[in-house]
Amino acid sequence: MDNAFKDQPLKGKVAFIAGASSGINLGIAQHFATNGAKVAIISRSHEKIIAAAETVEGGIGMAADVRDYESVDKALATTVEQFGKVDIVVSGAAGNFVAPALGMSSNGFKTVVDIDLIGTFNVLRASFQYLNRPGASLMSITAPQAHNPSMFQAHVCAAKAGINMLTQCLAMEWGPAGVRVNAISPGPIADTEGMARLAPTPEMEAAVKASVAMRGYGEKRDVADVAMYLATENARYITGTIIDCDGGTKLGNASGDALGEFA
Ligand code: HXC
Ligand code: NAP
C-alpha cells in the first residue's frame, strides 16, 4: 500500500496481527509496516502466512490458529523474542459462509463463533502479558452484522455482536493499565474474501453498492487508515469504541433517491 506518511508515525512500534494472510488484515499489516512498525502476522496456513509476510516490509509470519490459545501465546512470545515487545494488537481472524440457521449444524454455528469471538478473546487475553504498558492499543475487526440482524448470517451476527461487547468490557477492565481496546467495523470492502462470499455475482454486488449511502464498496486502505489512527497516540483518549468504516451501512438500506431534482 503506497501511502507512507513522511514522519513514520509507527516508528519504534511493534504490531501483532491475527488473520493477516489475506484481505483487510493483510492490508492493515502492510500499512503499519510502511509507516514504520515492526509487524508479526499469524493465520492457520503456514504456506499462506509466510507468503503474506513477504509482502509486509520487515514482517514475520507464523502459523497459529486463534482457536488454540497455546499457539497464539507461542506466536506472541516469538514476536517479543524477535522484536522486543508488543505495542499494537489487531484481532481480525474470521470465518463466514452464507447459510440459513436451519442449514447449519451446531458445529457449523460453533465454528464461526469459535474463530471470530473465542479467537478474539484468545488473541486479546493472551496478548495482555506481552503488552508494552501503558500506551498499548488493541483493536478487533467486527462487522455491521453485529448491529444489523441479517438473514443467512446468524453465526456471524452472534459472533460479531459478542466481539463488540467484549471490546467494551475489556476497555473498562484494562483502561487502568493504560491499555486501549477498540474495534473497527468495516462495511463491504472491495477485493476481499468476505464480499466474494456475501455477494458472489455482479448483480448482487451492484445491489449492495446501490444500498450503501456512499454508493459503493470501500477499499482495504480505508480500514487501514482507521487502524493507523487507533494505533497512534492521536487516539490516546479513545477506548471502548466501535468505529464504523462502512460508507453508512450501519444506518440501513439507503437505496432510495432523496436528492432527486434537488441534487
Ligand atoms: C453450512 C457449513 C458451510 C456452509 C462449512 N459448514 N461451510 N455449513 N453451509 N456453506 C460447516 C461444516 O459442514 C462443518 O459442520 C463446520 O461448518 C466446520 O466446517 P470445516 O470446513 O471443518 O471448518 P474449518 O476448516 O474450520 O473452516 C472454517 C470455515 C471456512 C468458516 C467453514 O469457510 C473458512 O476457513 N473460512 C475462512 C475464510 C473466510 O471465511 N473469510 C471470510 C471472512 S469475512 P459439520 O456439522 O459438517 O461438522 C467475514 C464477513 C464479515 O467474516 C462480514 C462482511 C460484510
Ligand atoms: P479473509 O481475507 O478471508 O481474512 C480472514 C483471515 O483470517 C485469513 O487471513 C485467514 O487465513 C484467517 N483465519 C481464518 N480462520 C483462522 C483461524 N482459526 N486462526 C487464525 N487465522 C484464521 O477475509 P476479509 O474479507 O479480508 O475479512 C477480514 C476481517 O474483516 C474479518 O474479521 C471479517 O469479518 C471482517 N470484515 C470484512 C468485511 C469485508 O467486506 N470483507 C466486512 C466487514 C468485516 P488462513 O486461511 O490462513 O487461516
Side-chain angles (χ1 to χ4, degrees):
M1 214 172 278
D2 96 10
N3 51 342
F5 287 74
K6 254 198 196 140
D7 56 347
Q8 293 272 291
L10 298 182
K11 198 168 169 32
K13 301 282 185 191
V14 178
F16 179 86
I17 307 182
S21 64
S22 54
I24 291 171
N25 306 315
L26 178 56
I28 294 172
Q30 292 164 339
H31 193 45
F32 281 3
T34 304
N35 284 287
K38 299 253 187 273
V39 179
I41 58 176
I42 64 165
S43 83
R44 291 168 301 184
S45 154
H46 178 76
E47 224 169 69
K48 278 171 64 182
I49 203 69
I50 297 303
E54 279 166 18
T55 72
V56 177
E57 215 174 302
I60 56 168
M62 291 164 279
D65 191 319
V66 295
R67 294 169 284 192
D68 174 3
Y69 189 90
E70 298 309 319
S71 80
V72 174
D73 186 76
K74 202 167 148 213
L76 280 156
T78 306
T79 304
V80 173
E81 267 165 45
Q82 294 272 323
F83 295 144
K85 57 175 183 160
V86 176
D87 300 288
I88 303 156
V89 176
V90 180
S91 175
N96 193 10
F97 51 82
V98 176
L102 293 175
M104 65 179 84
S105 65
S106 173
N107 190 46
F109 184 86
K110 179 177 182 296
T111 297
V112 169
V113 172
D114 277 350
I115 301 172
D116 293 28
L117 178 56
I118 310 294
T120 293
F121 178 80
N122 288 344
V123 168
L124 300 182
R125 170 70 182 83
S127 71
F128 189 84
Q129 66 162 316
Y130 298 101
L131 295 176
N132 184 26
R133 297 175 249 138
S137 174
L138 316 187
M139 63 197 89
S140 298
I141 308 299
T142 181
Q145 284 93 326
H147 178 266
N148 305 344
S150 311
M151 306 269 284
F152 313 106
Q153 290 281 273
H155 46 0
V156 173
C157 290
K160 295 292 194 183
I163 289 175
N164 287 15
M165 189 50 82
L166 178 65
T167 298
Q168 296 170 84
C169 292
L170 297 185
M172 290 181 88
E173 293 196 11
W174 296 353
V179 175
R180 296 184 290 108
V181 189
N182 293 290
I184 303 171
S185 179
I189 302 298
D191 304 319
T192 59
E193 185 60 28
M195 289 318 296
R197 290 178 185 222
L198 283 176
T201 65
E203 293 74 25
M204 290 166 97
E205 185 175 321
V208 174
K209 287 178 172 168
S211 74
V212 177
M214 294 308 294
R215 294 289 188 266
Y217 282 1
E219 296 182 7
K220 289 170 211 160
R221 155 86 192 260
D222 297 323
V223 184
D225 278 335
V226 178
M228 257 289 276
Y229 171 67
L230 285 175
T232 64
E233 284 296 297
N234 293 337
R236 63 192 166 273
Y237 204 52
I238 296 182
T239 197
T241 60
I242 317 295
I243 299 188
D244 301 308
C245 177
D246 68 355
T249 300
K250 186 176 149 188
L251 306 174
N253 189 320
S255 57
D257 181 13
L259 292 170
E261 62 188 283
F262 306 109

